[in-house]
Every structure is written in structure tokens, then in C-alpha cells.
Amino acid sequence: MNFIRLLPVFFSFLLISAHFQRAGLSLIALLCLLAPGLLYFTRPWSPRILQILLLLSAVEWVRTLVYLVQLRQDLGMDWTRLAIILGGVSLFTAASALVFQHREIRKKYGLGIRE
């Protein structure tokens, strides 16, 4: 059942990996694809590193959003749909970091249980 709970994490890393691959940054794309492999280690540092990476990924999506909206505005093109999609991707990626707050996930990685 934990695998299903962790699916947003895998999907977020897949999306950011595709983003970097499209930008020609193959090494970073590969690292993003391999990042969920840290889940193999059931130590408290593992999910914390992934949470940091997910939040950095969300920041990258926002940076890309700002850049592309500005570019489209300069060209006189519609940018609303782009902003909605990239804003949603950024929110999804940031929200994926919250998966590690679930009771079962916290228990598995020894993050302590809040009562």
C-alpha cells in the first residue's frame, strides 16, 4: 500500500526528469530518474533528501513558468493556459513532498509518529 502512497513522488520525479531532458541536461535528468531509488534505504535521511529535491523541483517549475510567461507576453501570445498547467505541475510537485507525512510512511522510515 505504501507504493501507491508514493506514486506522486515517482510521477513528480518523472516529470522533472523529462523537463531537464528536453532542456538538454541529460545528466540531471538521469539523476532525477534515479532519485526515488533513495526510498530503498529505510533511514530518516532518505525521505528528507527526497522532500528537499521535490521542493527544489517545484521551484524549478515556478522559474520555468515565470520565464515562459514572460517570453509569451513579449511575443504577444496567450499565456494563461501555460500558467495554469505549469502552476498545477509546480503545486503537484510541492504537494508530493507531503506524502512523507503519512503515518505509515513515517513509521517505515523511522520519522517518528505524531499522536
Side-chain angles (χ1 to χ4, degrees), residues 8 21 45 48 66 70 78 99:
Q21 181 63 35
W45 55 265
R48 294 300 181 223
V66 169
Q70 186 176 33
D78 183 37
V99 165

Side-chain angles (χ1 to χ4, degrees), residues 1-9 96 99 102-105:
M1 193 61 143
N2 282 341
F3 178 76
I4 293 172
R5 289 184 184 105
L6 291 169
L7 278 177
V9 173
S96 294
V99 165
H102 190 276
R103 182 182 181 93
E104 294 298 319
I105 301 291

Side-chain angles (χ1 to χ4, degrees), residues 101 103 106 111-115:
Q101 299 305 313
R103 182 182 181 93
R106 292 178 65 80
L111 297 172
I113 305 288
R114 288 184 282 178
E115 296 295 329

